[in-house]
Amino acid sequence: ETGVTQSPTHLIKTRGQQVTLRCSSQSGHNTVSWYQQALGQGPQFIFQYYREEENGRGNFPPRFSGLQFPNYSSELNVNALELDDSALYLCASSLSSGRVNRELFFGEGSRLTVL
Amino acid sequence: QQQVKQSPQSLIVQKGGIPIINCAYENTAFDYFPWYQQFPGKGPALLIAIRPDVSEKKEGRFTISFNKSAKQFSLHIMDSQPGDSATYFCAASMNTGFQKLVFGTGTRLLVSP
């Protein structure tokens, strides 16, 4: 059984650019969530995808968008990057959308630096 | 109301000691309370979780104590080891159509040999 894998592990962008981060969910998991973790802080919920649809969103602007594919993998896209977007972006997968099984399994994250 | 407050920010204990990390919440709709352990450069890993219908849960050396009336819960690490040195996050979520964890700010634990 493979865990949650994310790519790239590190990347550097400049302000105004766009970035795409990728995530493969744990085997058998159909739900993917994305979190932003600023340095020294707890993760903050960005959104969740279930059956290829966004079914929950945190307090993030529309320039944060995502996709989920039929194989349950996912992408996080961030447009018009700002300096404050510098953070560790974590992908988490789970067996269901959240009503029954609440366990979230996190990947190791993608460290984004915006200069 | 969506916040989970965590303390202390950092903690140093000797090997074999019992560090205790505390969390408090306001929103009574929260009904699932996990603890995550995070090592530098790694993603958070689920340690143990509790629901509000029980007051205590043990898994190995990790114990969650839950006080529903006080809206507080805590993590105890028995016989702590240097390998337990990490950042610990409490979190909470409610029963909605999606899984949104609200995390505390984290506690950096150092277990000295």
Side-chain angles (χ1 to χ4, degrees), chain A residues 1-2 8-10 25 29 32-33 38 43 47 60-61 63 74-75 101 104 106 110-111 114:
Chain A
E1 179 180 284
T2 56
T9 55
H10 295 83
S25 60
H29 287 187
V32 173
S33 304
F47 44 54
F60 281 82
R63 59 189 185 85
S74 178
E75 288 182 353
N101 189 317
L104 278 186
F106 284 87
S110 294
R111 172 73 63 187
V114 182

Side-chain angles (χ1 to χ4, degrees), chain A residues 35 37 48 55 97 102 104, chain B residues 31 36 38 93 97 99 101:
Chain A
Y35 287 75
Q37 186 176 21
Q48 176 178 289
N55 72 335
S97 63
R102 305 283 194 94
L104 278 186
Chain B
D31 66 347
Y36 282 83
Q38 186 174 30
S93 71
Q99 170 71 296
L101 283 177

Side-chain angles (χ1 to χ4, degrees), chain A residues 52-63:
Chain A
E52 302 176 53
E53 297 283 335
E54 182 185 299
N55 72 335
R57 189 176 185 93
N59 189 25
F60 281 82
R63 59 189 185 85

Side-chain angles (χ1 to χ4, degrees), chain B residues 6-49:
Chain B
Q6 183 172 347
S7 63
Q9 189 174 13
S10 62
L11 189 54
I12 301 174
V13 299
Q14 289 192 326
K15 178 182 173 181
I18 305 176
I20 301 172
I21 305 170
N22 301 298
C23 285
Y25 64 97
E26 288 296 323
N27 192 338
T28 54
F30 287 142
D31 66 347
Y32 174 72
F33 303 89
W35 284 89
Y36 282 83
Q37 178 190 58
Q38 186 174 30
F39 293 104
K42 303 292 185 181
L46 179 63
L47 269 179
I48 184 173

Side-chain angles (χ1 to χ4, degrees), chain B residues 28-73:
Chain B
T28 54
F30 287 142
D31 66 347
Y32 174 72
F33 303 89
W35 284 89
Y36 282 83
Q37 178 190 58
Q38 186 174 30
F39 293 104
K42 303 292 185 181
L46 179 63
L47 269 179
I48 184 173
I50 197 168
R51 295 184 186 255
D53 51 346
V54 299
S55 59
E56 186 176 275
K57 184 175 181 180
K58 293 182 180 180
E59 284 188 6
R61 296 184 294 108
F62 301 95
T63 298
I64 300 179
S65 297
F66 190 86
N67 186 329
K68 187 175 181 178
S69 61
K71 292 183 283 187
Q72 296 175 346
F73 58 110

